[in-house]
């Protein structure tokens, strides 16, 4: 190239320069925004997995830029968002139809049309039982027992049972679901897996419990890493799979929680699924707030993982660390309050009392349901009578005075995070009236303030068939904690009125969930 001559640019470089100049000179915002919605999800299916869970699957949507996720709707109300093409809706009511639809969305906020709907009906509750209520069985499911022995479990009114193994001596004819368990690492054998596969194929097994108290030396005694290594084998059974059941009693709570946190973190990092959280809980049952302390622990656990919870061991064990001398009355009080609370918590899917008959162990004096002569104990008689069945709340409405700053419909939405609240300090005379849409017979009311201090300091309960004639109060009392359980003789009415009789200058009056029980 001669000195003083102009450099020569290739055609490609000129094109690049022109493009860059054009881009730099383009007016800000002149590029078109994304306004195209994704296509509607297709092939939505709903499958009932149990009396409390329905699984959804659908085909992926497409979008000109990309699908960011999906919103799940039940009867027109959004209940969840997910980035996958499946969702498990838990904490449902047995023998109930649920209809769903899905919408896709992109990062720009464009939302697709609804998918075609899909519906399923949750499975029925066994006769005389509840979906949640169960029992751990160390005696009446043992090998060599007879149908008369199995019938003792039916007598308790439980819907499910297990015996820490895969031995299935025969609960046929008892209408009770049997749930197998892989107790420890030594139980992960080809023989065990074959038995589980056969039980699943026969329709007997729907869920699988994993390792028993792996955090304790005298139990499964497993490291988190060894449990995670075996997890794909358990996943391959195709059953709903519960986490290893750690001990959450007062003296082992911290270590058990740490073990579970590490396990859940490592399974998530490996892309493994855990369908529900299983825990054991043996509280200080003589503490006056034992049931409330349990509710707080379970709520904290749910907030960590947002998965259904199974309490596979719950009992009144005297381990020498109680706050007061143990009594049968104290155990019955804890059992009654705990069962009512567990039945009302939507994220608690199941619970099992420990034990059907451990009368040969002195520590079981206040927890065994049958005695050495195979007769119901006092605590067994109490458990048989529990729980009172929650009434179906579809269509229920309420009016309040004052109206409050959040809607009364929040009391019936199965979401403990929402609430109705006065928005002002508690004062005598505040009230709300519940319309149950028709005449109902009931003998218990539960008002849940979800752990807050906004529970009613005092209350009166009135009922009416027409919403205008109330008569005398059928119950009254003083609130002492976030969950207020009010029992009374059975009444038949359509309307329930709760009148505040206490005061709390520093607290609103709030109700997160309101239940009535038959």
């Amino acid at each position: 190239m001669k000195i003083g001559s102009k450099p020569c640019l290739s055609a490609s470089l000129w094109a690049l320069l022109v493009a860059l100049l054009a881009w730099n000179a383009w007016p800000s915002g002149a590029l078109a925004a994304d306004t195209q919605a994704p296509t509607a999800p297709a092939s939505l299916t709903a499958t009932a997995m149990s009396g409390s869970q329905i699984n959804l699957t659908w085909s992926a949507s497409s979008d000109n830029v990309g699908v960011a996720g999906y919103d799940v709707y039940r009867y027109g109300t959004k209940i969840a968002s997910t980035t996958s093409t499946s969702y498990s809706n838990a904490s449902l009511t047995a023998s109930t139809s649920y209809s769903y639809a899905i919408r896709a969305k992109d990062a720009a906020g464009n939302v697709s049309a609804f998918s075609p709907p899909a519906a399923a009906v949750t499975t029925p509750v066994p006769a005389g039982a509840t979906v949640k209520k169960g029992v751990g069985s160390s005696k009446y499911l043992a090998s060599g027992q007879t149908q008369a022995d199995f019938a003792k479990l039916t007598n308790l009114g439980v819907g499910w049972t297990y015996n820490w193994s895969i031995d299935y001596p025969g609960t046929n004819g008892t209408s009770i679901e049997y749930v197998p368990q892989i107790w420890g690492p030594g139980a992960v054998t080809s023989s065990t897996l074959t038995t589980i596969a056969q039980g699943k194929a026969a329709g007997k097994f729907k869920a699988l419990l994993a390792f028993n108290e792996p955090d304790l030396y005298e139990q499964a005694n497993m490291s988190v890493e060894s449990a995670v290594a075996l997890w794909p084998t358990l996943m391959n059974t195709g059953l709903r799979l519960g986490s290893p059941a750690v001990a959450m009693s007062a003296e082992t709570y911290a270590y058990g929680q740490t073990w579970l946190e590490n396990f859940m973190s490592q399974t998530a990092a490996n892309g493994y699924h855990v369908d529900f959280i299983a825990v054991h809980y043996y509280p200080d049952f003589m503490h006056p707030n034992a049931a409330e302390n349990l509710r707080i622990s379970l709520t904290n656990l749910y907030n960590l993982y947002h998965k259904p919870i199974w309490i596979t061991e719950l009992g009144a064990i005297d381990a020498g660390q109680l706050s007061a001398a143990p009594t049968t009355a104290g155990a019955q009080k804890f059992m009654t309050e705990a069962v009512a609370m567990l039945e009302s918590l939507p994220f608690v899917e199941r619970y099992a009392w420990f034990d059907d008959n451990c009368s040969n162990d002195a520590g079981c004096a206040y927890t065994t349901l049958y005695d050495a002569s195979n007769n119901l104990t006092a605590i067994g008689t109490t458990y048989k009578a529990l729980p009172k069945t929650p009434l179906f709340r579809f269509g229920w409405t309420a009016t309040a005075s004052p109206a409050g700053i959040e809607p009364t419909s929040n009391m019936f939405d199965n979401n403990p995070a929402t609430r109705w609240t006065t928005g002002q300090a508690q004062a005598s005379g505040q009230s709300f009236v519940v319309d149950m849409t028709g005449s109902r017979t009931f003998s218990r009311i539960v008002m849940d303030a979800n752990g807050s201090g906004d529970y009613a300091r005092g209350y009166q309960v009135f009922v009416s068939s027409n919403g205008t004639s109330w008569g005398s109060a059928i119950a009254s009392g003083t609130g002492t904690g976030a969950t207020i359980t009010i029992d009374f003789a059975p009444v038949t009415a359509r309307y329930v009125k709760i009148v505040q009789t206490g005061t709390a200058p520093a607290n609103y009056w709030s109700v997160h969930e309101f239940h009535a029980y038959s």
Side-chain angles (χ1 to χ4, degrees):
M1 180 175 68
K2 294 181 180 178
I3 296 176
S5 65
K6 296 180 179 180
C8 181
L9 295 175
S10 68
S12 59
L13 288 175
W14 272 114
L16 177 60
L17 179 60
V18 170
L20 290 172
L21 290 172
W23 176 266
N24 194 49
W26 199 271
S28 177
L31 293 175
D34 178 16
T35 60
Q36 183 173 331
T39 61
S43 304
L44 174 63
T45 61
T47 305
M49 303 301 294
S50 67
S52 60
Q53 178 170 321
I54 291 175
N55 286 356
L56 306 175
T57 60
W58 58 90
S59 298
S61 298
S62 59
D63 185 67
N64 62 315
V65 176
V67 175
Y70 301 89
D71 291 331
V72 181
Y73 289 78
R74 187 178 65 209
Y75 289 121
T77 300
K78 188 171 81 170
I79 61 170
S81 296
T82 179
T83 56
S84 70
T85 56
S86 63
Y87 177 73
S88 294
N89 187 196
S91 304
L92 302 176
T93 301
S95 300
T96 303
S97 177
Y98 293 90
S99 180
Y100 301 87
I102 312 295
R103 299 180 80 176
K105 56 190 176 183
D106 62 21
N110 301 306
V111 181
S112 76
F114 282 103
S115 69
V121 179
T122 48
T123 56
V125 182
T130 70
V131 170
K132 293 186 178 185
K133 179 183 174 184
V135 63
S137 176
S138 63
K139 180 171 183 177
Y140 298 121
L141 285 180
S143 298
Q145 299 299 311
T146 67
Q147 284 300 130
D149 294 311
F150 305 146
K152 294 188 182 300
L153 302 180
T154 305
N155 185 45
L156 294 170
V158 296
W160 71 284
T161 187
Y162 79 110
N163 58 353
W164 298 272
S165 74
I166 61 163
D167 295 333
Y168 192 77
T171 50
N172 292 332
T174 66
S175 72
I176 299 174
E177 179 185 350
Y178 175 83
V179 181
Q181 180 174 38
I182 301 289
W183 190 88
V188 185
T189 66
S190 58
S191 175
T192 295
L193 297 174
T194 297
T195 299
I196 290 174
Q198 291 170 343
K200 179 176 182 291
K204 294 178 179 179
F205 300 163
K206 299 179 176 62
L208 178 63
L209 300 175
F211 312 118
N212 186 79
E213 296 182 354
D215 50 316
L216 298 185
Y217 174 78
E218 63 272 20
Q219 297 297 321
N221 188 28
M222 300 173 67
S223 69
V224 170
E225 290 73 19
S226 62
V228 172
L230 291 170
W231 206 248
T233 302
L234 274 59
M235 288 171 54
N236 287 339
T237 63
L239 296 170
R240 290 189 68 220
L241 184 56
S243 71
V246 298
M248 301 288 266
S249 58
E251 65 273 16
T252 61
Y253 182 89
Y255 183 66
Q257 179 167 301
T258 299
W259 195 101
L260 182 61
E261 287 177 355
N262 290 337
F263 174 83
M264 294 299 289
S265 175
Q266 291 189 33
T267 51
N270 283 283
Y272 301 158
H273 71 82
V274 177
D275 296 307
F276 56 90
I277 304 298
V279 294
H280 295 171
Y281 199 92
Y282 293 101
D284 174 2
F285 67 90
M286 292 302 298
H287 192 285
N289 295 324
E292 174 64 8
N293 293 338
L294 171 59
R295 189 198 64 79
I296 292 171
S297 295
L298 294 174
T299 301
N300 291 339
L301 186 64
Y302 176 75
N303 288 336
L304 279 175
Y305 307 115
H306 293 282
K307 293 181 181 293
I309 294 174
W310 288 30
I311 309 174
T312 50
E313 289 185 24
L314 174 67
I317 297 291
D318 178 13
Q321 298 181 348
L322 302 177
S323 57
T327 63
T328 298
Q332 289 171 308
K333 176 180 181 293
F334 166 68
M335 172 187 274
T336 300
E337 294 178 352
V339 167
M341 177 270 297
L342 295 172
E343 289 287 334
S344 70
L345 289 181
F347 53 80
V348 172
E349 197 167 82
R350 293 190 177 186
Y351 58 89
W353 190 261
F354 179 90
D355 180 77
D356 66 345
N357 195 330
C358 55
S359 56
N360 59 336
D361 187 327
C364 284
Y366 301 97
T367 199
T368 184
L369 300 177
Y370 285 89
D371 62 20
S373 299
N374 297 311
N375 296 316
L376 280 173
T377 61
I379 196 76
T381 300
T382 299
Y383 197 58
K384 176 182 177 178
L386 296 172
K388 296 175 184 289
T389 304
L391 299 180
F392 188 43
R393 300 182 298 170
F394 181 75
W396 287 17
T397 60
T399 56
S401 176
I405 58 175
E406 296 180 53
T408 56
S409 59
N410 287 345
M411 292 193 288
F412 317 117
D413 65 356
N414 287 317
N415 182 357
T418 65
R419 65 177 182 174
W420 165 77
T421 183
T422 56
Q424 57 186 260
Q426 291 187 36
S428 181
Q430 295 170 341
S431 65
F432 64 84
V433 175
V434 176
D435 180 356
M436 299 186 290
T437 72
S439 183
R440 304 283 190 270
T441 299
F442 54 101
S443 59
R444 170 177 289 167
I445 287 171
V446 174
M447 294 185 290
D448 184 8
N450 195 33
S452 76
D454 292 352
Y455 56 88
R457 295 308 193 264
Y459 59 82
Q460 288 182 315
V461 180
F462 299 83
V463 297
S464 171
S465 60
N466 56 18
T468 56
S469 302
W470 294 99
S472 302
I474 63 168
S476 60
T478 302
T480 59
T483 302
I484 298 177
T485 301
I486 309 167
D487 288 313
F488 40 83
V491 295
T492 301
R494 171 172 175 170
Y495 299 90
V496 181
K497 179 164 66 174
I498 309 295
V499 178
Q500 168 77 258
T501 61
T503 59
N507 292 91
Y508 296 166
W509 181 22
S510 303
V511 179
H512 290 244
E513 291 294 317
F514 177 93
H515 287 273
Y517 293 78
S518 64

